[in-house]
């Protein structure tokens, strides 16, 4: 293949250099127009929320807003914990132990967005007394795991930490 | 845009598509094969520079609109948020605010070039009139855009300019109230200005298409002011010759633009616009952006409210009438010795008006503005019509090729 | 017919007379008007001026101290978030310092579940709190005057030098955008103990050479030795005023460092691109007489 290639002339080199410089300049100029749509500095700075959980009675679910989405904080009863822990993993569409989804068994913290198409499931509803999504009928159990319906995954668990026994920081 | 094309695509798919929608042929005949006078100088690249600036303003503007809030309580703060928090927001905003100035700088050069070389004369009157329409739309767009940051100059500029309409007899106050959507410049005004500021550039783009269409029907004027007679001898194909030369012009213009954006971004703005709008306090000196100053000077030179408004709009009516006011049969100032001097007097007059527009309207500044306003109108209404009758032009070359052989005219910016 | 040269001379004389002569006549008519004009503030030697200028981090930290201990008692800074103090190109305190600083301030938040507003310690994402509930409260506490918000103050106080000198402030090499910071320094040091003869001050007014009307409600804010610097910089009013002016400039234009750095690269690329395009164009047109 090399036999046919003529020596590039100085004219070709000039055209190639000009074209390349124009391409590089255009490429660099495009970046700010794309990057501007990423979260801005003030949004990034607001990425954590603190919540006092001391006042949440057993059996109740509290919804807090974090990064524009609801987070369910559920103070689980003994019965709910037992149900969640005793389910054989083989029965689960998205197998995960309850222990892997909580930091303390009484407290379940999940992002309240159905993994199907983003609706917000209703608490204390459905056959497993977990959550039921009104949009397309996905059913979650008391560990927020998908049990029936079209959703592909369990409810996501956000990053969170217990600051004290009664205070958590999400994000 | 200049009639049916002889363009035939090389690929079968291209031919299939072309026989159903001949868009490639249109592009080819308008921007590739289109014959361009070979003697154009760099002043002619300002058309391409303006197209580029329109595109740049639309792109930066659409992006800024993703972050801006058209509400009197939030507008100023949302602009500051763009400057501080949005990724590259400071760059996008400075590009847009300085871009407006660069757009006007380029359009003034473009208009002056048209005047110098007689580009408005038959058969290019419609082309020229479409240009005046673009200029008017640009002024409306720039004015409303300047209101959006909701600083002190935004607010008081909007108040002063919208109040011009109250000078109209009988219905003036009704019109002003209608423009405002209230009894003063307030939230409804800001919100509608934002809507229109977003709309108008697309209308400009539409008229630009007509402007380019008209240009390609009648062909470009050139420094010699004679038409293309022999395509082979007088012209070169638009691509690559004109496209490459235009690229040099755009790239050089970008250096100027970027100098302002990155190193003196607030030079062309007014410090008072970094103060949130306050309807209860007028700044000491209300000054419009520099590109409106000549018109502002004419407005203030006339000692009557209605008269000032009439003369200010009359200044633009002069541009509309220009093709019929200039009676000379020779187009280019190169071959019109007296017109050439008058033209530069006119430029000096407009720059002088611009300076006076920036000064407080006191004493001698008012007198000077009146003299220059008088000159502005006398230039169009008296000097130009008479000059065509009395001036003895130099002999005009027979063709563009002849003009080139003669070494062209002693032109600024030739290359 | 007149020759072109003589026409040009006549035209130049005409425009010269109109532009210089007429205002000169007017200046004779109204000489008193300029007596009240504040002088143009003298320039300072700013680290952030010029083509390669950038903020001096230590100066910004000192300036922040002045702002915090003096200015912020009355002035707001709505657009300054605590987190900004750790941003690159700024005072660049550490994240931990900013967190600790924010926690020293009480931020109003709420409503809580009971519907009440409450106060909590500040976080880095909070904005700089103001001592007054609203503008009217600030006016009442400050002798009727509203201390202006300081977020973009340094850009809002730019003083133009007037035609034709201001033209040069756009040109490479002599470009100057720091008039606002100069004004702040001049204002801080422009106080006089007494108004000049013939001028009367009302109530809380003070005389300042650089304030546009000279009669300013803000009392002289900075005096020698008022603030204790940890880094050994001179503890003079002059130094304080320059430091706080630099800080205010940063607050008004926090992306200046990034802007100039990016601009340098952009211009570099554009010069090369323009040169290459010009050379290409030259070569392409070399076979066309034009």
């Amino acid at each position: 293949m090399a036999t046919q290639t003529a020596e590039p002339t100085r004219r070709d080199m000039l055209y190639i250099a000009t074209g390349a410089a124009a391409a590089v300049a255009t490429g660099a100029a495009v970046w700010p127009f794309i990057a501007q749509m990423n979260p801005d500095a003030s949004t990034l700075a607001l990425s954590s929320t603190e919540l006092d959980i001391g006042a949440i009675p057993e059996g109740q679910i509290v919804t807090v807003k974090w990064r524009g989405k609801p987070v369910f904080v559920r103070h689980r009863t003994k019965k709910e914990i037992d149900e969640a822990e005793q389910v054989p993993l083989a029965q689960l569409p998205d197998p995960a132990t309850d222990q892997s989804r909580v930091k303390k068994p009484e407290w379940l913290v999940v992002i309240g967005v159905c993994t199907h198409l983003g609706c917000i499931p209703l608490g204390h509803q459905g056959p497993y007394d977990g959550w039921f999504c009104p949009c397309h009928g996905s059913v979650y159990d008391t560990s927020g795991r998908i049990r029936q319906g079209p959703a592909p995954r369990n409810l996501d668990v956000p990053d969170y930490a217990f600051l004290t026994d009664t205070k958590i920081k999400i994000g | 845009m200049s009639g049916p094309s002889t363009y035939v695509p090389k690929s079968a798919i291209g031919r299939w598509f072309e026989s159903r929608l001949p868009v490639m042929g249109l592009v080819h005949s308008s921007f590739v094969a289109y014959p361009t006078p070979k003697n154009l100088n760099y002043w002619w690249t300002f058309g391409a520079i303006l197209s580029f600036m329109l595109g740049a303003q639309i792109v930066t503007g659409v992006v800024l609109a993703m972050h801006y809030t058209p509400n009197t309580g939030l507008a100023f703060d949302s602009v500051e948020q763009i400057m501080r928090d949005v990724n590259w927001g400071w760059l996008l905003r400075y590009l847009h605010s300085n871009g407006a100035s660069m757009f006007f700088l380029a359009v003034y050069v473009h208009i002056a070039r048209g005047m110098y070389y007689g580009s408005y004369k038959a058969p290019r009157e419609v082309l020229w009139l479409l240009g005046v329409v673009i200029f008017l739309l640009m002024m409306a767009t720039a004015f409303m855009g300047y209101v959006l940051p909701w600083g002190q100059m935004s607010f008081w500029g909007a108040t002063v300019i919208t109040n011009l309409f109250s000078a109209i007899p009988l219905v003036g106050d009704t019109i002003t109230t209608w423009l405002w959507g209230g009894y003063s410049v307030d939230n409804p005004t800001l919100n509608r200005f934002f809507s229109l500021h977003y709309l108008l550039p697309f209308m400009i783009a539409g008229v630009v298409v007509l402007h380019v269409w008209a240009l390609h029907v009648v062909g470009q004027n050139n420094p010699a002011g004679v038409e293309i007679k022999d395509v082979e001898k007088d012209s070169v194909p638009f691509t690559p010759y004109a496209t490459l030369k235009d690229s040099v012009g755009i790239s050089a213009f970008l250096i100027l633009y970027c100098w302002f954006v990155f190193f003196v971004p607030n030079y062309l703005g007014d410090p008072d616009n970094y103060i949130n709008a306050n309807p209860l306090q007028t700044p000491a000196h209300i000054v419009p952006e520099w590109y409106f100053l000549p018109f502002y000077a004419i407005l203030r030179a006339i000692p009557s409210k209605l008269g000032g408004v009439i003369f200010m709009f009359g200044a633009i009516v002069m541009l509309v009438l220009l093709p019929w006011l200039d009676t000379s049969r020779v187009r280019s100032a190169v071959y019109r010795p007296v017109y050439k001097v008058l033209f530069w007097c006119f430029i000096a007059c407009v720059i002088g008006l611009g300076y006076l527009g920036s000064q407080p309207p006191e004493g001698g500044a008012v007198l000077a503005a009146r003299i220059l306003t008088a000159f502005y109108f006398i230039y169009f209404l008296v000097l130009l019509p008479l000059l065509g009758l009395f001036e003895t032009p130099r002999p005009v070359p027979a063709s563009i090729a002849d003009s080139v052989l003669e070494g062209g005219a002693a032109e600024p910016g030739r290359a | 017919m007149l020759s072109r040269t003589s026409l040009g001379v006549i035209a130049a004389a005409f425009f010269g007379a109109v532009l210089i002569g007429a205002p000169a006549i007017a200046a004779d008519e109204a000489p008193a008007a300029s007596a009240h004009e504040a002088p143009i503030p003298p320039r300072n030697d700013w680290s952030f001026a010029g083509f390669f200028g950038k903020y001096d981090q230590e100066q910004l930290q000192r300036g922040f101290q002045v702002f915090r201990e003096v200015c912020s008692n009355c002035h707001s800074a709505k657009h300054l978030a605590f987190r900004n103090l750790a941003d690159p190109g700024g005072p660049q305190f550490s994240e931990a310092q900013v967190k600790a600083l924010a926690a020293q301030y009480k931020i109003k938040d709420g409503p809580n579940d009971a519907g009440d507003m409450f106060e909590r310690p500040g976080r880095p994402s909070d904005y700089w709190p103001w001592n007054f509930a609203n503008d009217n409260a600030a006016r009442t506490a400050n002798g009727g005057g509203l201390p202006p918000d300081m977020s973009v103050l340094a850009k809002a106080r730019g003083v133009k030098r007037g035609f034709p000198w201001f033209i040069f402030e756009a040109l490479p090499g002599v470009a100057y955008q720091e008039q606002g910071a100069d004004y702040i320094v001049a204002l801080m040091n422009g106080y006089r103990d007494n108004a000049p003869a013939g001028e009367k001050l009302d109530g809380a007014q003070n005389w300042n050479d650089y304030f546009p009307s000279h009669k300013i409600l803000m009392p002289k804010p900075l005096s020698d030795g008022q603030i204790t610097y940890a880094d050994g910089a001179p503890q003079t009013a002059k130094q304080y005023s320059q430091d706080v002016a630099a800080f205010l400039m940063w607050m008004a234009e926090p992306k200046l460092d990034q802007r100039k750095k990016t601009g340098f690269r952009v211009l570099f690329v554009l010069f090369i691109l323009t040169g290459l395009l010009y050379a290409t164009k030259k070569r392409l047109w070399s076979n066309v007489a034009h």
Side-chain angles (χ1 to χ4, degrees):
Chain A
M1 72 184 185
T3 51
Q4 291 297 314
T5 316
E7 189 76 9
T9 63
R10 280 180 56 201
R11 164 182 289 222
D12 291 335
M13 288 307 292
L14 180 59
Y15 289 175
I16 290 165
T18 309
V24 168
T26 312
V30 166
W31 174 243
F33 293 87
I34 296 168
Q36 54 87 18
M37 281 173 60
N38 277 322
D40 72 16
S42 65
T43 308
L44 294 173
L46 285 174
S47 53
S48 70
T49 298
E50 286 178 19
L51 176 71
D52 193 347
I53 56 174
I56 304 174
E58 215 176 71
Q60 196 165 328
I61 305 171
V62 163
T63 307
V64 291
K65 200 168 141 192
W66 173 68
R67 292 185 182 171
K69 290 180 291 196
V71 168
F72 298 144
V73 179
R74 183 168 184 155
H75 193 173
R76 299 194 296 186
T77 61
K78 183 80 176 72
K79 177 166 163 286
E80 289 170 343
I81 297 170
D82 290 345
E83 277 172 10
E85 287 178 346
Q86 283 157 15
V87 181
L89 288 186
Q91 283 186 17
L92 298 171
D94 181 11
T97 62
D98 187 57
Q99 286 87 338
S100 71
R101 295 176 53 78
V102 294
K103 291 205 160 78
K104 292 182 180 178
E106 314 89 78
W107 295 103
L108 174 71
V109 181
V110 288
I111 295 175
V113 175
C114 181
T115 56
H116 180 220
L117 291 171
C119 295
I120 297 170
L122 306 168
H124 294 300
Q125 289 200 23
Y128 301 91
D129 196 32
W131 282 271
F132 172 76
C133 182
C135 290
H136 304 93
S138 293
V139 176
Y140 299 90
D141 66 12
T142 53
S143 188
R145 290 172 297 198
I146 181 66
R147 301 298 287 270
Q148 292 173 12
R153 279 180 296 114
N154 302 330
L155 293 179
D156 293 320
V157 178
D159 283 334
Y160 69 97
F162 281 88
L163 297 176
T164 66
D165 279 350
T166 60
K167 202 166 194 183
I168 60 168
K169 181 184 172 202
I170 305 166
Chain B
M1 293 176 193
S2 44
S5 169
T6 53
Y7 174 74
V8 180
K10 289 192 183 73
S11 72
I13 297 173
R15 282 193 294 275
W16 178 87
F17 190 86
E18 194 68 7
S19 62
R20 284 154 182 82
L21 184 68
V23 67
M24 289 313 294
L26 181 70
V27 169
H28 186 268
S29 66
S30 306
F31 300 110
V32 180
Y34 172 70
T36 312
K38 61 203 246 183
N39 59 340
L40 297 187
N41 56 37
Y42 270 106
W43 297 113
W44 258 266
T45 63
F46 277 84
I49 289 168
L50 284 163
S51 309
F52 175 86
M53 286 312 302
L54 176 62
Q57 287 301 87
I58 288 179
V59 170
T60 52
V62 165
V63 159
L64 286 169
M66 295 182 188
H67 304 281
Y68 170 77
T69 313
N71 176 293
T72 52
L74 300 167
F76 188 87
D77 292 348
S78 73
V79 171
E80 273 312 307
Q81 173 136 12
I82 290 170
M83 295 294 288
R84 287 150 195 276
D85 289 340
V86 173
N87 301 298
W88 297 97
W90 58 269
L91 173 60
L92 300 168
R93 194 218 161 195
Y94 278 153
L95 279 172
H96 197 68
S97 60
N98 285 284
S101 283
M102 293 299 127
F103 203 167
F104 272 95
L105 177 68
V107 92
Y108 283 133
V109 172
H110 193 61
I111 292 171
R113 191 270 292 152
M115 291 175 72
Y116 187 83
Y117 293 110
S119 299
Y120 46 83
K121 292 189 190 184
R124 297 187 177 82
E125 302 96 322
V126 172
L127 172 62
W128 174 262
L129 291 181
L130 287 165
V132 176
V133 172
I134 293 170
F135 181 46
L136 281 170
L137 287 172
M138 276 176 66
M139 291 202 283
T141 310
F143 161 66
M144 288 189 281
Y146 194 61
V147 177
L148 302 184
W150 207 243
Q152 275 287 68
M153 275 299 157
S154 301
F155 181 87
W156 292 101
T159 300
V160 168
I161 300 300
T162 49
N163 262 314
L164 292 181
F165 292 90
S166 69
I168 302 169
L170 299 175
V171 292
D173 286 334
T174 316
I175 290 177
T176 318
T177 309
W178 174 77
L179 278 175
W180 287 338
Y183 301 104
S184 63
V185 174
D186 208 334
N187 201 53
T189 326
L190 175 62
N191 218 335
R192 66 191 55 182
F193 276 16
F194 177 58
S195 172
L196 294 172
H197 181 71
Y198 203 119
L199 167 72
L200 286 187
F202 296 96
M203 293 180 63
I204 294 177
V207 185
V208 166
V209 169
L210 297 179
H211 190 65
V212 174
W213 187 6
L215 173 73
H216 287 207
V217 169
V218 295
Q220 274 161 295
N221 185 30
N222 58 78
V226 293
E227 301 293 343
I228 295 176
K229 297 199 171 88
D230 181 330
V231 170
E232 280 294 305
K233 285 183 184 158
D234 293 344
S235 77
V236 287
F238 190 82
T239 298
Y241 290 93
T243 32
L244 195 51
K245 191 165 181 172
D246 285 346
S247 303
V248 177
I250 290 172
S251 193
F253 192 78
L254 270 173
I255 293 176
L256 176 74
Y257 182 14
C258 287
W259 166 257
F260 275 93
V261 167
F262 289 102
F263 294 98
V264 282
N266 294 306
Y267 173 76
L268 294 164
D270 195 295
D272 276 331
N273 228 28
Y274 280 109
I275 302 170
N276 206 338
N278 179 359
L280 303 178
Q281 193 176 32
T282 309
H285 297 298
I286 298 195
V287 186
E289 291 291 84
W290 69 268
Y291 38 82
F292 291 138
L293 287 173
F295 299 103
Y296 192 61
I298 293 175
L299 171 76
R300 294 192 310 188
I302 309 297
S304 116
K305 186 170 171 181
L306 181 59
V309 175
I310 289 173
F311 272 81
M312 186 175 73
F313 285 104
I316 296 171
V317 173
M318 292 303 108
L319 291 178
V320 173
L321 298 178
L322 177 58
W324 297 277
L325 291 174
D326 183 353
T327 52
S328 174
R329 288 166 60 200
V330 174
R331 283 204 192 99
S332 173
V334 174
Y335 307 103
R336 298 184 61 191
V338 183
Y339 173 72
K340 193 187 257 181
V341 176
L342 264 188
F343 168 84
W344 288 112
C345 289
F346 175 74
I347 297 295
C349 166
V350 172
I351 292 173
L353 281 170
Y355 164 65
L356 294 168
S358 74
Q359 296 304 108
E362 293 160 355
V366 177
L367 178 65
R370 284 185 190 152
I371 296 172
L372 291 187
T373 300
F375 178 82
Y376 183 99
F377 286 94
I378 289 170
Y379 172 81
F380 282 107
L381 295 174
V382 180
L383 297 179
L384 274 188
L386 289 181
L387 192 61
L389 305 177
F390 294 108
E391 186 181 37
T392 319
R394 284 169 48 204
V396 174
S399 71
I400 291 173
D402 285 355
S403 155
V404 170
L405 284 178
E406 286 164 15
E411 287 301 315
R414 272 188 61 84
Chain C
M1 194 108 266
L2 288 162
S3 79
R4 260 179 60 195
T5 326
S6 56
L7 253 177
V9 170
I10 292 167
F14 171 73
F15 286 103
V18 169
L19 285 177
I20 299 163
I25 297 165
D28 286 345
E29 284 171 6
S34 56
H36 268 287
E37 296 274 314
I40 299 291
R43 287 187 176 184
N44 293 267
D45 187 15
W46 298 113
S47 71
F48 46 89
F51 197 62
F52 297 103
K54 52 195 279 206
Y55 291 118
D56 174 348
Q57 188 186 329
E58 285 175 5
Q59 183 174 43
L60 293 189
Q61 294 200 356
R62 292 195 301 270
F64 170 68
Q65 194 185 348
V66 178
F67 164 77
R68 188 186 172 199
E69 292 181 17
V70 183
C71 315
S72 71
N73 287 319
C74 300
H75 290 271
S76 59
K78 283 190 286 186
H79 297 288
L80 175 69
F82 288 106
R83 62 184 162 81
N84 294 142
L85 296 167
D87 286 347
Q92 258 181 297
F93 291 105
S94 70
E95 300 278 347
Q97 283 173 310
V98 169
K99 223 169 169 171
L101 174 78
Q104 292 171 23
Y105 287 82
K106 290 268 171 277
I107 304 292
K108 197 166 199 183
D109 203 345
N112 61 16
D113 292 344
D116 299 323
M117 303 302 280
F118 59 93
E119 285 193 332
R120 59 164 175 77
R123 304 175 190 140
S125 61
D126 286 318
Y127 287 83
W128 193 264
W130 196 21
N131 281 342
F132 304 105
N134 51 53
D135 287 0
N136 287 351
R139 277 198 191 90
T140 308
N142 287 289
L146 176 67
D149 184 82
M150 283 189 152
S151 310
V152 281
L153 197 62
K155 284 200 283 189
R157 292 292 184 271
V159 180
K160 293 227 158 126
R161 287 201 293 168
F163 187 83
W165 302 112
F166 84 96
I167 291 174
F168 298 106
E169 290 172 357
L171 301 179
V174 283
Y176 196 72
Q177 289 258 290
E178 287 69 36
Q179 296 92 343
D182 289 335
Y183 171 78
I184 291 164
V185 172
L187 189 81
M188 294 297 99
N189 299 298
Y191 282 88
R192 283 200 218 174
D193 293 337
N194 297 302
E199 296 284 353
K200 209 170 151 295
L201 295 173
D202 298 331
Q205 285 179 339
N206 303 278
W207 186 267
N208 192 304
D209 288 340
Y210 288 93
F211 193 66
S213 71
H214 296 301
K215 294 169 185 177
I216 184 169
L217 278 168
M218 176 170 72
K220 186 174 192 293
L222 297 172
S223 324
D224 292 348
Q226 182 181 355
I227 298 153
T228 310
Y229 279 149
D231 66 355
Q235 299 181 154
T236 59
K238 181 88 183 163
Q239 182 71 31
Y240 297 148
S241 62
Q242 286 177 338
D243 291 348
V244 80
F247 176 76
L248 292 180
M249 192 68 211
W250 166 77
M251 190 150 60
E253 186 75 4
K255 306 290 180 172
L256 179 141
D257 281 13
Q258 192 192 0
R259 167 159 66 76
K260 290 192 177 175
K261 210 166 77 184
T262 313
F264 182 74
R265 291 176 189 159
V266 167
L267 285 186
F268 181 74
V269 169
L270 276 177
F271 270 107
I272 290 178
L273 180 62
T274 307
L276 281 170
L277 281 168
Y278 184 70
T280 313
K281 182 256 159 196
K282 268 274 192 219
R283 186 159 303 185
L284 177 74
W285 282 76
S286 60
N287 58 352
V288 181
H290 61 284

